[in-house]
Amino acid sequence: MKGLRIVSTGRALPKTAVSNEDMSKLVDTNDEWITARTGIKNRYKCQDESCVSLAIKAAGIALERAGIDKNEIGAVITATSTPDYIFPSVSCMIQKELGLSEEIAAFDVSAACTGFLYGLRIAHGFVNSGMSKYILLVGSEQLSRIIDYSDRSTCILFGDGAAAVIVKASDGIFAQKTWTRGDLDALSCDGVNGKECFVHMNGHKVFRFAVTAMEQGIKEVLEKAGLTLSDIDYVVCHQANKRIIEHVKKKYQEHAHKFHVNIDEYGNTSAASIPIVLDEILNEKSDTASAGKQGEVSIAQPRKILCVGFGAGLTWSGAVLEG
Ligand code: ACO
């Protein structure tokens, strides 16, 4: 089996920032409570933007940074729970706006916050089989569309945003585990047959599930890859709650510095949260990046990245790849 390598990344956030102070004008809450319970200080909210427009912007940045022939993109996959339309898919809109070949597959993946990681698995299948050279994988969410802004237990958590990666097969590593457990009680959003369309969450149940899912994701994907955390450069966790990440980090204190946390800035952006972190670490935190063949971002020693996430479904996954 071939490895999977990130060639380039890009992200896009709405212009409008919403602070905890702003949230306290909507519901009975305050900065102290939100910061202590979640680690969130800020999130972004679409005004003129949408899930599709953010996705196109993030994907466009990733494509430009990759410097590749766009006709070599073999598929567009967008992970989202908040598309602009039931159909056409967000991915179809990206194909059109970026002028990608019509001879590709373009479709969306629905697995809530785990959607990007499920998309990674599909992307690997495409490139590993030799069917495609590059895959454009996007996570984009306009969660403000499905938030009840009178429910203080959920509305403070979520933010809008998008990020994209372009991946290709490599001689390096790829390993992944994915899990699914049908469950309507912990996290759901109705919206079919004229029902209200808001996130419903049992915070305690999700929290308990999240810490075990994250630990399982890290442990079992490392076993599958035949690696330990000492071999990993970055651990990229779904950014749902700083306390969940801190809880997991405690188990791996020696490697705590490898866990990147940005939930303070963005809140929980669901399927976009992991690629937003990837964009931050691969573009801002590296002083070794340089232009390679075809203008791709390349480094002498690709970094090993472990991504782990969970979401409604319930769904969860851990993946190891290079970037
Ligand atoms: N501001 C002030 N007080 C609040 C707020 C708020 N925004 N929200 C709830 N409270 C109150 C509650 O009413 C409760 O008051 P009471 O004691 O008088 O009844 C008190 O604060 C404590 O509430 P808890 O729910 O026990 O707070 P907890 O410490 O569990 O934190 C939280 C809640 C942050 C939601 C936590 O349970 C959590 O993070 N759970 C996981 C959420 C998560 O990861 N979701 C992922 C969704 S991803 C996806 O797939 C869509």
Side-chain angles (χ1 to χ4, degrees):
M1 193 169 79
K2 293 195 170 78
L4 192 71
R5 183 160 175 185
I6 297 172
V7 172
S8 67
T9 63
R11 70 178 185 272
L13 280 308
K15 287 189 294 294
T16 309
V18 182
S19 66
N20 290 347
E21 178 68 25
D22 296 328
M23 294 306 301
S24 71
K25 291 173 191 150
L26 292 176
V27 286
D28 180 13
T29 191
N30 54 72
D31 176 52
E32 197 186 352
W33 193 96
I34 300 173
T35 307
R37 303 285 177 131
T38 71
I40 299 167
K41 301 294 278 183
N42 185 68
R43 73 283 291 145
Y44 293 87
K45 188 175 179 200
C46 290
Q47 301 292 347
D48 305 334
E49 309 89 345
S50 73
C51 176
V52 165
S53 72
L54 292 176
I56 290 167
K57 189 168 174 196
I61 294 168
L63 183 61
E64 193 183 328
R65 282 185 182 155
I68 58 172
D69 175 356
K70 61 186 178 183
N71 290 314
E72 288 185 311
I73 300 264
V76 184
I77 305 169
T78 303
T80 185
S81 299
T82 50
D84 290 26
Y85 316 104
I86 301 292
F87 52 78
S89 68
V90 176
S91 297
C92 287
M93 298 293 102
I94 295 172
Q95 178 275 334
K96 177 183 175 220
E97 290 301 321
L98 298 190
L100 304 181
S101 165
E102 289 187 358
E103 262 185 79
I104 62 168
F107 57 94
D108 295 353
V109 172
S110 165
C113 306
T114 319
F116 181 83
L117 294 182
Y118 275 33
L120 208 54
R121 186 154 194 161
I122 302 167
H124 181 256
F126 271 82
V127 296
N128 186 52
S129 67
M131 216 162 19
S132 307
K133 184 162 183 194
Y134 297 103
I135 302 296
L136 174 57
L137 174 60
V138 185
S140 186
E141 299 284 11
Q142 188 177 352
L143 292 160
S144 56
R145 222 195 263 290
I146 57 166
I147 298 304
D148 176 356
Y149 282 97
S150 66
D151 175 7
R152 67 178 180 171
S153 66
T154 54
C155 71
I156 50 110
L157 296 173
F158 298 99
D160 299 336
V165 300
I166 292 177
V167 291
K168 68 172 186 179
S170 75
D171 296 330
I173 193 149
F174 180 75
Q176 184 161 19
K177 295 265 304 192
T178 51
W179 293 270
T180 303
R181 181 192 304 152
D183 179 298
L184 266 174
D185 298 331
L187 261 174
S188 66
C189 178
D190 288 339
V192 176
N193 294 333
K195 284 189 194 166
E196 57 152 26
C197 186
F198 292 133
V199 172
H200 296 285
M201 184 181 73
N202 178 331
H204 291 259
K205 196 171 174 184
V206 175
F207 198 99
R208 279 197 304 275
F209 157 69
V211 291
T212 51
M214 300 279 266
E215 284 169 23
Q216 184 182 23
I218 293 172
K219 182 173 170 285
E220 294 198 20
V221 78
L222 284 173
E223 281 168 9
K224 190 168 180 181
L227 301 174
T228 70
L229 264 194
S230 301
D231 302 306
I232 299 293
D233 297 299
Y234 294 112
V235 181
V236 177
C237 299
H238 169 48
Q239 310 283 308
N241 185 321
K242 192 173 179 186
R243 281 161 55 214
I244 294 172
I245 301 174
E246 293 298 331
H247 191 92
V248 176
K249 261 166 78 171
K250 267 196 210 133
K251 307 252 164 191
Y252 306 103
Q253 277 182 356
E254 204 187 319
H255 303 284
H257 61 285
K258 298 176 181 176
F259 287 68
H260 184 84
V261 180
N262 66 11
I263 190 167
D264 54 327
E265 172 70 7
Y266 305 107
N268 178 350
T269 57
S270 193
S273 98
I274 286 176
I276 288 175
V277 175
L278 289 172
D279 185 61
E280 287 194 348
I281 61 177
L282 296 180
N283 286 292
E284 290 165 13
K285 303 273 156 138
S286 164
D287 50 12
T288 47
S290 63
K293 272 189 211 159
Q294 299 178 317
E296 291 178 14
V297 172
S298 74
I299 52 169
Q301 286 291 318
R303 293 147 292 188
K304 286 193 181 60
I305 304 165
L306 191 160
C307 300
V308 61
F310 65 92
L314 298 168
T315 53
W316 64 113
S317 178
V320 175
L321 73 165
E322 291 180 333

